[in-house]
Amino acid sequence: MTLNPQPHSQLYWAAGLSLYVLAVLFLTRLPYQAMVRHGLEPIRAVYYNRKIVHMLAGGVGSLAVPLVFVNPWFPLVSGLLLTLLTNLAHVTGMRFYWFQTDDNRNDVKFALMWSISVATLWWILDDPWLAILPALYMAFGDGVTGIVRNAFIRKRSKNPIGSVFMFIISAPIGWIIGGMAQPPIPVWGLISAAVATLVERYEFGPIDDNILITVAASAVLLFGVYWGPLL
């Protein structure tokens, strides 16, 4: 289902969504300033803001993809351009300090894995809704996880409390979108949510949770489509 399936409209949708994402990136400086002004440590404000960006830019952008695009090319190119922008901010030292830090480039990996996972799954499965499912786990599931951990643990951590909330958010998303596939695979959607929740707790050097979530969840979905419905 798309809001406008006409190919000539894709450029306008891509431009409009790109402007929306840029607005999110720049306007989230306002909540950062408000949090710091009210006494929150700057690094914790950064972590909160990063998850806000995850959800408002990555999450809302993901949901728009199957509604307004007819093929994965525009999402792929738009995502790679965002990857370039966020990486250049690090390279030049002109970081978006309200959600970027100098000790990691997880925001760059988020944009890169979003682009790769959405485009690759769409090409292989020919299903834009299944294609955005790992990106939704990364955006909303991991987003809520980070906010909960920051609120309760008061620092960046992999405390299990975040995993509980990630599964609470991701499980219904996986079940519903898995059920929209043809044939429906809601159980595989649920399994992919559980696997994404499990791997989110780990990082291996440069391989962060953004990479692990999208790769692991994508692998489950590909296997699930190949195997077929479990119910």
Side-chain angles (χ1 to χ4, degrees):
M1 180 182 68
T2 58
L3 295 178
N4 189 339
Q6 299 302 316
H8 67 267
S9 70
Q10 302 307 284
L11 180 61
Y12 301 115
W13 280 114
L17 286 170
S18 296
L19 289 174
Y20 164 75
V21 170
L22 288 175
V24 170
L25 297 188
F26 284 98
L27 291 176
T28 46
R29 182 167 57 178
L30 300 178
Y32 170 86
Q33 292 172 336
M35 286 184 280
V36 172
R37 189 165 57 248
H38 285 84
L40 190 69
E41 303 95 313
I43 191 62
R44 289 186 62 206
V46 166
Y47 290 148
Y48 276 127
N49 246 12
R50 184 176 295 178
K51 300 309 179 181
I52 293 172
V53 170
H54 273 204
M55 291 185 283
L56 291 184
V60 174
S62 297
L63 289 172
V65 164
L67 295 175
V68 302
F69 294 115
V70 297
N71 64 63
W73 281 109
F74 277 110
L76 175 62
V77 172
S78 298
L80 291 178
L81 289 174
L82 180 61
T83 302
L84 178 62
L85 172 65
T86 52
N87 193 50
L88 280 175
H90 283 283
V91 171
T92 61
M94 301 174 63
R95 287 187 303 276
F96 300 108
Y97 63 86
W98 52 96
F99 70 86
Q100 291 183 319
T101 60
D102 59 1
D103 61 338
N104 70 60
R105 299 190 183 185
N106 291 357
D107 54 294
V108 179
K109 296 172 187 176
F110 181 101
L112 178 62
M113 295 311 299
W114 186 94
S115 309
I116 293 174
S117 66
V118 169
T120 301
L121 286 177
W122 195 343
W123 276 318
I124 294 175
L125 301 178
D126 195 28
D127 186 329
W129 285 102
L130 285 181
I132 67 168
L133 191 48
L136 292 178
Y137 297 151
M138 186 171 58
F140 291 118
D142 187 41
V144 170
T145 296
I147 289 174
V148 169
R149 286 178 179 147
N150 201 14
F152 285 92
I153 310 303
R154 298 180 178 274
K155 63 179 180 179
R156 187 175 186 270
S157 72
K158 292 296 182 179
N159 189 281
I161 190 173
S163 300
V164 172
F165 279 86
M166 178 169 179
F167 187 69
I168 290 173
I169 296 298
S170 299
I173 295 175
W175 180 272
I176 293 170
I177 291 183
M180 294 166 58
Q182 295 298 325
I185 52 169
V187 177
W188 285 111
L190 187 62
I191 293 172
S192 71
V195 170
T197 300
L198 176 65
V199 301
E200 184 275 334
R201 294 192 63 195
Y202 300 96
E203 291 183 341
F204 304 98
I207 302 176
D208 71 346
D209 54 359
N210 296 309
I211 297 175
L212 292 174
I213 289 170
T214 50
V215 171
S218 296
V220 171
L221 291 173
L222 289 170
F223 183 79
V225 170
Y226 169 78
W227 186 272
L230 294 178
L231 289 179

